[in-house]
Amino acid sequence: EVGWTEAGTSTLWNIEYGIAGFTQGTGTVVNDVTTNPYEITGLTADTSYEFYVQAICDPTNLSSWTGPFEFFTGYCASVPTSIDGQGVGNVTIGVTDFPSLGEVSYENQTTPVVNVFQGIDTNVSITFLTGFTYDANIWIDFNDNLVFEESELVFSGVSTNANPTTLDASFVMPVAAPIGEHRMRIGTADTGQATPNPCYNGSWGVTLDFTVNIQVLTCTLAEATYTTAPDCDNDQFFIDVDITSLG
């Protein structure tokens, strides 16, 4: 949404927009805009744009263009001001490892893309090198609107304070999760993520962004049942597994 302050009495405007730095006259023009603010659609993510606005006082009386005004189509910044210890040492999604980019509070790990599947476990583990308990929250922008909404929170948990320690942050991908690539954000902090906040910029935390490609599972999963068989005399037990279908 782009908006402006009308200095006169106009209720009709023209807008021109384009990639930041574009020469006016080469951008996309929208005539006879009747709403302020105005929603521009079909933009590219993680891109800086500029726009100009012109008031239509009457059909033969146009104001000069005002601008440029800049906006960015990326996700909200989440760059905590400090980290404990060495922060996050590694994240594993599925079978793909993402070693730390350094002792930093924000990591852009959006490449490579990781394939995940509807309706089954998405295996995620986070290795902390902090020496403190860390709250961890995971969001996936299922609707690709550049906002991590409360309904898109898929995991919340807390690590131990061991150094290092690995938190199992796995979750079941919703069966109705939209197919395709989406941004996944992991927000961690020793206190600041106790209430999930995808835009956290406070102290003592690490935020990481990834790209997941949600797919339909085309195979049939194996099926099994299990029972516990205790051996108390020898202080041990066994798990008997009966595989009913190999899938």
Side-chain angles (χ1 to χ4, degrees):
E1 288 188 344
V2 296
W4 54 90
T5 300
E6 170 58 45
T9 58
S10 296
T11 57
L12 203 61
W13 303 270
N14 296 323
I15 295 174
E16 183 176 2
Y17 67 91
I19 302 296
F22 81 97
T23 300
Q24 195 172 8
T26 64
T28 300
V29 176
V30 184
N31 293 314
D32 301 328
V33 172
T34 59
T35 59
N36 178 14
Y38 176 76
E39 183 178 287
I40 301 175
T41 61
L43 301 175
T44 301
D46 298 321
T47 304
S48 292
Y49 287 87
E50 291 176 340
F51 79 98
Y52 296 80
V53 63
Q54 178 186 60
I56 304 174
C57 303
D58 62 56
T60 61
N61 185 13
L62 305 178
S63 78
S64 58
W65 287 95
T66 299
F69 305 103
E70 188 170 342
F71 62 92
F72 181 68
T73 58
Y75 291 87
C76 63
S78 177
V79 186
T81 58
S82 54
I83 63 174
D84 291 297
Q86 296 172 282
V88 172
N90 187 78
V91 173
T92 301
I93 304 174
V95 295
T96 303
D97 284 325
F98 293 88
S100 174
L101 300 179
E103 295 180 21
V104 293
S105 61
Y106 173 75
E107 297 194 15
N108 186 335
Q109 299 269 24
T110 51
T111 56
V113 176
V114 180
N115 292 331
V116 294
F117 299 91
Q118 294 174 321
I120 65 170
D121 277 349
T122 299
N123 296 316
V124 179
S125 62
I126 308 167
T127 299
F128 291 97
L129 307 173
T130 63
F132 293 86
T133 60
Y134 257 53
D135 294 289
N137 300 295
I138 302 178
W139 298 262
I140 299 177
D141 184 18
F142 290 120
N143 60 10
D144 302 319
N145 67 347
L146 305 180
V147 178
F148 295 107
E149 295 154 334
E150 184 177 353
S151 61
E152 295 174 327
L153 181 68
V154 294
F155 174 84
S156 290
V158 185
S159 75
T160 70
N161 61 0
N163 188 5
T165 185
T166 299
L167 173 66
D168 180 4
S170 302
F171 59 91
V172 176
M173 184 65 68
V175 173
I179 299 301
E181 294 185 7
H182 308 282
R183 180 69 63 90
M184 184 174 89
R185 173 164 290 184
I186 300 179
T188 73
D190 63 2
T191 58
Q193 286 288 2
T195 298
N197 180 4
C199 305
Y200 178 70
N201 288 298
S203 60
W204 313 116
V206 179
T207 301
L208 310 97
D209 280 345
F210 304 88
T211 304
V212 293
N213 181 26
I214 300 176
Q215 300 180 336
V216 176
L217 188 67
T218 56
C219 62
T220 303
L221 295 178
E223 298 178 1
T225 59
Y226 68 91
T227 56
T228 303
D231 180 7
C232 298
D233 291 340
N234 296 298
D235 293 328
Q236 61 184 352
F237 64 92
F238 301 89
I239 304 296
D240 289 333
V241 179
D242 180 16
I243 301 174
T244 58
S245 172
L246 289 175

